[in-house]
Amino acid sequence: MIVEMRTGASKKEVDDVVQKAKSLNLGVQLNVGTDKTVVALLGGNTGQIPTDIFAIFPGVESVTRIMKPYKLASRTFSPKDTIVDCGGVTIGGEKVVVMAGPCAVESEKQLMQAAEAVKKAGATILRGGAFKPRTSPFSFQGLQKEGLELLTKARDEFGMPIVTEVVNPQDVLLVSSYADMLQIGSRNMQNFSLLTDAGKSRRPVVLKRGFSCTITEWLTAADYLLAEGNNQVILCERGIRTFEDSVRFSLDISAIPVLKKNSHLPVIVDPSHAAGNYSLVPAIAKAAVAAGADGLLIEVHPNPKEALVDGLQSLSPSDFARLMDELRAVAKSVGRSI
Ligand code: PEP
Ligand code: MN
């Protein structure tokens, strides 16, 4: 249930609503806007509580039930777009933010070359996996702590914030002590203890869509992060599993406007894991920007043929630079910039 306070409602009027909710054993989350405060009442038996119990309080403008399973991720709770700050780079505003780098950190040389190339082409956040969630236990699992150290070295050298995946709840503290932003991968979208711990970390989080999950399940998973009081959450569409097998995953382009309508969280797109092939990445990336994505997460490797992970879908530095030029034109055509 959402209690929207009137413009200029006093702190006492808000506190009285909060106290009433607590007396009914409801969870409470406040969205304190510049002009209005919105109080979300969560859990318990909100479905059975008459809205009038809150509508009667002084300072209350309206009381609405949120019929969707997700609450804090919904636009009803937070009508204005959320802006996420990743080490000084903002996502969700006018600028389309490009995050790029290798699938996995493989060596100092590989990471530095990738960082230099993506920075030169205009990316503003460096991606790179140190902990890799691999389908097979026999595949390269990432350099782990050493990978995190290399990422911070690249950040310092190139002045780019870094985003990297955290796979296990027990690694959240370690990864968040190095990374500017945590990534939760597709396979972990519904790992609820990981979400809770990542929410507690106070780092911004990119939540990738589970490749067999609906948008509603995705936004409800985002509620786990938001419920910890961390509103710095970005949603990343990366393709879903369908009957189509000519691409690795089917990019759900319509997820972008659907999310924009129903949620206040920034939306980015990973064309690399959807395409599965470098030759298909540019078209999907441009379509994502045209459809309103706030950013892109793109795999770039200094030498894709030698990549230990996801070489086939990684762009070379020159392909990436060309794509960035094309993306600038697309962004401009939809009133944005890169
Ligand atoms: C990745 O970004 O390298 C990755 C593993 O992505 P996903 O979780 O979307 O498969
Ligand atoms: Mn990858």
Side-chain angles (χ1 to χ4, degrees), residues 103 127 132 248 273 299 309-310 313:
C103 177
R127 70 146 285 154
K132 294 303 303 174
R248 191 173 176 192
H273 289 85
E299 287 186 342
V309 192
D310 285 348
Q313 69 196 32

Side-chain angles (χ1 to χ4, degrees), residues 259-305:
L259 290 167
K260 286 277 160 201
K261 185 170 158 209
N262 293 309
S263 178
H264 52 95
L265 298 172
V267 179
I268 65 169
V269 165
D270 170 350
S272 308
H273 289 85
N277 188 299
Y278 71 96
S279 65
L280 304 173
V281 169
I284 302 178
K286 287 181 275 185
V289 172
D294 297 303
L296 295 165
L297 182 69
I298 304 179
E299 287 186 342
V300 178
H301 194 286
N303 188 358
K305 290 191 191 73

Side-chain angles (χ1 to χ4, degrees), residues 39-305:
V39 188
L41 309 180
L42 304 159
N45 54 347
T46 34
Q48 270 90 63
I49 295 173
T51 51
D52 282 0
I53 288 188
F54 291 99
I56 202 165
F57 273 71
V60 170
E61 170 95 42
S62 65
V63 184
T64 325
R65 285 187 200 286
I66 304 187
M67 302 314 282
K68 305 247 170 59
Y70 53 87
K71 313 291 178 194
L72 303 177
S74 76
R75 271 221 189 260
T76 319
F77 174 55
S78 189
K80 277 213 273 227
D81 287 347
T82 288
I83 307 282
V84 170
D85 184 322
C86 170
V89 176
T90 51
I91 303 111
E94 181 269 330
K95 268 199 179 316
V96 175
V97 173
V98 179
M99 314 173 190
C103 177
V105 178
E106 298 168 9
S107 68
E108 178 162 353
K109 186 169 168 228
Q110 172 249 17
L111 184 64
M112 297 302 157
Q113 285 179 345
E116 186 178 13
V118 301
K119 166 135 192 181
K120 193 165 158 232
T124 48
I125 296 178
L126 177 65
R127 70 146 285 154
F131 290 89
K132 294 303 303 174
R134 303 308 305 279
T135 303
S136 164
F138 309 118
S139 303
F140 175 58
Q141 303 288 315
L143 294 182
Q144 313 203 346
K145 189 160 183 283
E146 189 194 338
L148 296 173
E149 279 156 9
L150 292 175
L151 280 165
T152 52
K153 203 164 174 198
R155 170 182 53 207
D156 296 345
E157 192 154 331
F158 296 99
M160 298 173 89
I162 50 178
V163 55
T164 194
E165 180 162 357
V166 57
V167 177
N168 292 305
Q170 65 264 30
D171 294 329
V172 169
L173 265 181
L174 175 78
V175 178
S176 49
S177 70
Y178 287 90
D180 297 286
M181 183 153 70
L182 304 178
Q183 176 176 320
I184 294 193
S186 188
R187 291 153 192 81
N188 267 324
M189 188 203 87
Q190 288 185 309
N191 181 339
F192 301 119
S193 51
L194 179 63
L195 295 174
T196 300
D197 288 352
K200 287 193 172 99
S201 78
R202 293 291 173 267
R203 288 282 178 211
V205 179
V206 172
L207 180 63
K208 292 188 113 185
R209 180 180 185 174
F211 52 69
S212 296
C213 291
T214 64
I215 291 174
T216 296
E217 286 164 336
W218 187 11
L219 289 171
T220 311
D223 265 0
Y224 271 89
L225 296 162
L226 300 167
E228 296 307 317
N230 184 354
N231 82 333
Q232 296 286 284
V233 176
I234 298 171
L235 303 163
C236 178
E237 163 64 37
R238 47 78 72 210
I240 52 176
R241 186 142 282 167
T242 67
F243 53 81
E244 181 53 63
D245 62 1
S246 56
V247 282
R248 191 173 176 192
F249 294 94
S250 299
L251 188 89
D252 181 6
I253 200 89
S254 57
I256 304 164
V258 170
L259 290 167
K260 286 277 160 201
K261 185 170 158 209
N262 293 309
S263 178
H264 52 95
L265 298 172
V267 179
I268 65 169
V269 165
D270 170 350
S272 308
H273 289 85
N277 188 299
Y278 71 96
S279 65
L280 304 173
V281 169
I284 302 178
K286 287 181 275 185
V289 172
D294 297 303
L296 295 165
L297 182 69
I298 304 179
E299 287 186 342
V300 178
H301 194 286
N303 188 358
K305 290 191 191 73

Side-chain angles (χ1 to χ4, degrees), residues 20-52:
K20 179 68 185 172
K22 289 195 170 155
S23 76
L24 294 167
N25 284 328
L26 301 176
V28 177
Q29 282 261 356
L30 293 186
N31 176 19
V32 185
T34 39
D35 51 343
K36 267 184 191 177
T37 295
V38 177
V39 188
L41 309 180
L42 304 159
N45 54 347
T46 34
Q48 270 90 63
I49 295 173
T51 51
D52 282 0

